[in-house]
Amino acid sequence: MAVVVIVAVVLLLWLMTGVRVVQQYERGVVFRLGQVLPQVREPGITLLMPLVDRMRKVNVQVVTMPVPAQEGITKDNVSVSVDAVLYFRVMDPIKATVDVQNYAFAMLQVAQTSLRSIIGKSELDDLLSGRENLHQGLEVMLESPATGWGVHIDRVEIKDVSLPDSMKRSMARQAEADRERRARIITADGEFQAAAKLSEAAAKMAETPAAMQLRLLQTVVEVAAEKNSTLVLPFPVELLRFFEASAARVAGGADGTGGADDAAAGTPAPPAVPGQAPADRN
């Protein structure tokens, strides 16, 4: 009886050595006498045959892997340094364990070579502004080898693009020149519109001479609104009116009406020319 108890205890201890716990974020790949079993052990308690089975746990969480900066020359001959970040997860634990020695290291190497390749196929403007297409291109390049290793690529993103200092200065000068050009065009357009409006205003004022005087008075009111300003008029408004009346008389004399006005005002007649008969005063 004692022998049976001892055998039972030994057998129980032997079976307990084969008990394993698989976490929720893991999957168990079991090797029996060196051969992998087709069934993957799911999370929870699993029983292995002691001294026969060996289980390797594979993490199926999403892995965030930074890709070191890769230097390259773009399609338009600009030297840049680009780094990226890779997100992937294991979908087939058996392939990730059997078909590749270290799937994480393999994915890192493929990501670096793919990043160098995408730099040489792209232009600088695409690296700076059109990154969505580059992300898709990198994902397609990585998906082919990753599928054979049981790895799924969630996403690939370019994190930073480093440019030489000389290129940064050139781009800054280009942007400044473009802004200066647009500022000059806007200023010139404003001057053109203002000149057109001033021309229309001058035509309207020419039709009514009194409008010029009203405008002058309005300007005086606007300038005098500031209490700390002093306004000096070089000539009074009445002098402007005198000039307008003189201009009107000169224009009337040129039309032949000035002689009649002078006669009516009592202007003496011109002296007689020698040899000419005096005019009849009757």
Side-chain angles (χ1 to χ4, degrees), residues 59-65 85-90 103-104 154:
N59 194 323
V60 295
Q61 290 178 309
V62 176
V63 179
T64 303
M65 177 180 293
V85 58
L86 173 63
Y87 302 89
F88 67 93
R89 61 184 303 176
V90 176
Y103 66 88
D154 283 351

Side-chain angles (χ1 to χ4, degrees), residues 63-90:
V63 179
T64 303
M65 177 180 293
V67 181
Q70 303 296 313
E71 295 184 359
I73 299 177
T74 61
K75 193 175 181 179
D76 49 354
N77 298 325
V78 179
S79 178
V80 296
S81 177
V82 182
D83 60 351
V85 58
L86 173 63
Y87 302 89
F88 67 93
R89 61 184 303 176
V90 176

